[in-house]
mmCIF file of all heavy atoms in Angstrom:
data_model
loop_
_atom_site.group_PDB
_atom_site.id
_atom_site.type_symbol
_atom_site.label_atom_id
_atom_site.label_comp_id
_atom_site.label_asym_id
_atom_site.label_seq_id
_atom_site.Cartn_x
_atom_site.Cartn_y
_atom_site.Cartn_z
ATOM 1 N N MET C 43 43.977 109.408 164.139
ATOM 2 C CA MET C 43 42.515 109.498 164.041
ATOM 3 C C MET C 43 42.040 110.941 164.151
ATOM 4 O O MET C 43 42.645 111.760 164.836
ATOM 5 C CB MET C 43 41.866 108.676 165.167
ATOM 6 C CG MET C 43 42.082 107.184 165.025
ATOM 7 S SD MET C 43 41.368 106.290 166.422
ATOM 8 C CE MET C 43 41.725 104.595 165.919
ATOM 9 N N ASP C 44 40.911 111.243 163.493
ATOM 10 C CA ASP C 44 40.352 112.588 163.606
ATOM 11 C C ASP C 44 39.372 112.685 164.784
ATOM 12 O O ASP C 44 39.111 113.768 165.285
ATOM 13 C CB ASP C 44 39.677 113.006 162.300
ATOM 14 C CG ASP C 44 38.748 111.940 161.761
ATOM 15 O OD1 ASP C 44 39.252 110.987 161.133
ATOM 16 O OD2 ASP C 44 37.534 112.024 161.980
ATOM 17 N N ILE C 45 38.828 111.555 165.220
ATOM 18 C CA ILE C 45 37.966 111.514 166.409
ATOM 19 C C ILE C 45 38.533 110.418 167.307
ATOM 20 O O ILE C 45 38.855 109.333 166.828
ATOM 21 C CB ILE C 45 36.516 111.131 166.043
ATOM 22 C CG1 ILE C 45 35.919 112.142 165.060
ATOM 23 C CG2 ILE C 45 35.638 111.016 167.277
ATOM 24 C CD1 ILE C 45 34.590 111.682 164.478
ATOM 25 N N THR C 46 38.658 110.670 168.605
ATOM 26 C CA THR C 46 39.196 109.626 169.478
ATOM 27 C C THR C 46 38.138 108.534 169.676
ATOM 28 O O THR C 46 36.936 108.794 169.555
ATOM 29 C CB THR C 46 39.566 110.182 170.863
ATOM 30 O OG1 THR C 46 38.377 110.664 171.494
ATOM 31 C CG2 THR C 46 40.597 111.281 170.765
ATOM 32 N N PRO C 47 38.563 107.313 170.016
ATOM 33 C CA PRO C 47 37.590 106.247 170.247
ATOM 34 C C PRO C 47 36.526 106.622 171.298
ATOM 35 O O PRO C 47 35.338 106.371 171.101
ATOM 36 C CB PRO C 47 38.458 105.075 170.711
ATOM 37 C CG PRO C 47 39.773 105.308 170.021
ATOM 38 C CD PRO C 47 39.943 106.793 170.000
ATOM 39 N N ARG C 48 36.950 107.242 172.387
ATOM 40 C CA ARG C 48 35.971 107.605 173.424
ATOM 41 C C ARG C 48 34.869 108.472 172.842
ATOM 42 O O ARG C 48 33.685 108.213 173.036
ATOM 43 C CB ARG C 48 36.655 108.363 174.568
ATOM 44 C CG ARG C 48 35.688 108.835 175.655
ATOM 45 C CD ARG C 48 36.317 109.870 176.577
ATOM 46 N NE ARG C 48 36.702 111.086 175.870
ATOM 47 C CZ ARG C 48 35.864 112.058 175.509
ATOM 48 N NH1 ARG C 48 34.582 111.977 175.803
ATOM 49 N NH2 ARG C 48 36.311 113.103 174.851
ATOM 50 N N LYS C 49 35.236 109.490 172.083
ATOM 51 C CA LYS C 49 34.251 110.406 171.503
ATOM 52 C C LYS C 49 33.385 109.671 170.466
ATOM 53 O O LYS C 49 32.182 109.905 170.352
ATOM 54 C CB LYS C 49 34.990 111.581 170.857
ATOM 55 C CG LYS C 49 34.082 112.708 170.435
ATOM 56 C CD LYS C 49 34.910 113.918 170.034
ATOM 57 C CE LYS C 49 33.992 115.005 169.487
ATOM 58 N NZ LYS C 49 34.757 116.135 168.940
ATOM 59 N N MET C 50 34.048 108.759 169.750
ATOM 60 C CA MET C 50 33.331 108.010 168.718
ATOM 61 C C MET C 50 32.173 107.211 169.324
ATOM 62 O O MET C 50 31.070 107.186 168.780
ATOM 63 C CB MET C 50 34.337 107.081 168.027
ATOM 64 C CG MET C 50 33.841 106.374 166.806
ATOM 65 S SD MET C 50 35.235 105.475 166.056
ATOM 66 C CE MET C 50 35.383 104.074 167.151
ATOM 67 N N TRP C 51 32.420 106.592 170.486
ATOM 68 C CA TRP C 51 31.348 105.795 171.123
ATOM 69 C C TRP C 51 30.195 106.682 171.551
ATOM 70 O O TRP C 51 29.028 106.306 171.450
ATOM 71 C CB TRP C 51 31.887 104.989 172.312
ATOM 72 C CG TRP C 51 32.979 104.041 171.909
ATOM 73 C CD1 TRP C 51 34.209 103.892 172.487
ATOM 74 C CD2 TRP C 51 32.946 103.118 170.809
ATOM 75 N NE1 TRP C 51 34.940 102.953 171.807
ATOM 76 C CE2 TRP C 51 34.197 102.463 170.788
ATOM 77 C CE3 TRP C 51 32.004 102.798 169.840
ATOM 78 C CZ2 TRP C 51 34.512 101.502 169.828
ATOM 79 C CZ3 TRP C 51 32.318 101.837 168.890
ATOM 80 C CH2 TRP C 51 33.556 101.207 168.889
ATOM 81 N N ARG C 52 30.514 107.889 172.019
ATOM 82 C CA ARG C 52 29.450 108.827 172.396
ATOM 83 C C ARG C 52 28.607 109.184 171.172
ATOM 84 O O ARG C 52 27.383 109.236 171.234
ATOM 85 C CB ARG C 52 30.088 110.089 173.005
ATOM 86 C CG ARG C 52 29.104 110.985 173.714
ATOM 87 C CD ARG C 52 28.617 110.338 175.006
ATOM 88 N NE ARG C 52 27.402 110.984 175.484
ATOM 89 C CZ ARG C 52 26.386 110.341 176.055
ATOM 90 N NH1 ARG C 52 26.433 109.032 176.206
ATOM 91 N NH2 ARG C 52 25.332 110.997 176.477
ATOM 92 N N MET C 53 29.297 109.422 170.055
ATOM 93 C CA MET C 53 28.585 109.777 168.824
ATOM 94 C C MET C 53 27.719 108.613 168.326
ATOM 95 O O MET C 53 26.623 108.825 167.812
ATOM 96 C CB MET C 53 29.592 110.205 167.745
ATOM 97 C CG MET C 53 30.231 111.560 168.049
ATOM 98 S SD MET C 53 31.703 111.875 167.048
ATOM 99 C CE MET C 53 30.971 112.238 165.459
ATOM 100 N N VAL C 54 28.215 107.403 168.510
ATOM 101 C CA VAL C 54 27.418 106.224 168.137
ATOM 102 C C VAL C 54 26.136 106.203 168.965
ATOM 103 O O VAL C 54 25.029 106.040 168.452
ATOM 104 C CB VAL C 54 28.228 104.922 168.353
ATOM 105 C CG1 VAL C 54 27.328 103.695 168.325
ATOM 106 C CG2 VAL C 54 29.333 104.803 167.308
ATOM 107 N N LEU C 55 26.296 106.428 170.275
ATOM 108 C CA LEU C 55 25.132 106.357 171.165
ATOM 109 C C LEU C 55 24.141 107.476 170.852
ATOM 110 O O LEU C 55 22.938 107.312 171.052
ATOM 111 C CB LEU C 55 25.581 106.409 172.631
ATOM 112 C CG LEU C 55 26.243 105.109 173.103
ATOM 113 C CD1 LEU C 55 26.884 105.284 174.477
ATOM 114 C CD2 LEU C 55 25.230 103.957 173.131
#
Side-chain angles (χ1 to χ4, degrees):
Chain C
M43 293 177 178
D44 48 280
I45 300 170
T46 63
R48 177 195 62 79
K49 190 170 175 187
M50 189 174 76
W51 301 130
R52 193 70 197 142
M53 289 165 74
V54 165
L55 287 170

